[in-house]
Amino acid sequence: STRNYRHVLEYILLHGRGIRNTLIYCGLAILLALLVNPLAAYALSRYKPPTTYTILLFCMTTMAFPGEVTMIPAFLLLKRFPLWPILGGGAAFGVAVWLLSRYWPKLSEMLRMTLAVAIGLVVGAVAIPMAMGVWHVSLLNTFAALVLPGMANGYSIFLLKGFFDSLPRELYEAADIDGASEWRKFWTFTMALSKPILAVIALGAFFGAYSAFMMALIIVPDQNMWTLMVWIYQLQSEAHQSVIYAAV
C-alpha cells in the first residue's frame, strides 16, 4: 500500500536537489513579492502621481497575456542580462540625487529627480556599454533567473494599491506631525495594517513558485537546479500512472 509513495520519495531524494531548490525558490519568491509589490503600490497610493490610473491600466494589461508569451523574451533577457548597466545606472542616479540635493538645494524635487534619472540613463545605457566590451552576464541556472521574471506582479500591485487607499489618511497626517520617516510610515503603519492582503500576496507567490514547471525547465537546464515540479514531470515519463498519482 506504500510502494508508490516509497518510489516517489526515493526518486525525489536520490535525483538532484529538488526539495532544497524548491524551498529556496519559494522563500525568495515570497520575500521579493512582499517587498517589491508593496513598495510600488505604496508609491501609487501615497503620492498619487498624475499617471496613477495609466500605470494601473498597464499593470492590469499584463494579465491579458498568458505566461507562455513572455517565455522567449524572458529567456533572451536572462541569457544576456544587462547587469553592469543596471548597477552603474543605479549608482549614478543615487550619486546624482545626493550631489543635487547638497549643492543645488533650491532646485525643485521634481527637477532634481528628472536630472538624476537622465544622468542614470546616460551612464547605464550609453557610457557603460561603450566602456565595457562585454556588459551583460548570463543568469541561467541561477535562482535569480527563477525569481526575477515574477518578482513584480501587475495584479498584486493593483490589489495592494486598492487596499492601501482604504487606510485612514489621518494616520499618516499624525505621523507627519510627529516627524515619522517615510520608511517608518511604510513599514510600521502600512505593512502592519495590511497583513490580510499580504497573506493573499504571499500565498499567490508561493503557489506560482511551487507550481512553476515550463519556465523553470527552460531557464534552468542544469539538473542540479531543477525544482520538484520538473522532477515530477521527468518521473511521468518512466513510472506507472499510480506512481504519478502518488507524486501529485
Side-chain angles (χ1 to χ4, degrees), residues 11 213 217 226 229-239:
Y11 182 86
F213 156 66
L217 178 62
W226 282 359
M229 289 298 106
V230 181
W231 279 115
I232 290 177
Y233 176 78
Q234 297 298 320
L235 179 62
Q236 292 182 5
S237 62
E238 59 185 65

Side-chain angles (χ1 to χ4, degrees), residues 4-5 8 232 235-236 239-248:
N4 295 331
Y5 296 102
V8 173
I232 290 177
L235 179 62
Q236 292 182 5
H240 188 267
Q241 194 70 26
S242 57
V243 177
I244 304 305
Y245 290 144
V248 172

Side-chain angles (χ1 to χ4, degrees), residues 144-211:
L146 291 171
V147 298
L148 282 179
M151 183 171 60
N153 183 276
Y155 178 69
S156 298
I157 295 174
F158 174 79
L159 206 61
L160 285 165
K161 195 265 181 187
F163 192 91
F164 291 167
D165 287 343
S166 67
L167 299 178
R169 296 292 98 186
E170 295 80 8
L171 183 65
Y172 295 97
E173 294 173 0
D176 290 332
I177 294 174
D178 291 337
S181 63
E182 202 63 50
W183 175 256
R184 177 170 291 276
K185 285 182 285 187
F186 169 74
W187 186 256
T188 305
F189 300 149
T190 308
M191 296 293 279
L193 294 173
S194 305
K195 292 178 181 178
I197 195 65
L198 292 177
V200 174
I201 302 301
L203 184 61
F206 169 79
F207 177 78
Y210 183 78
S211 61

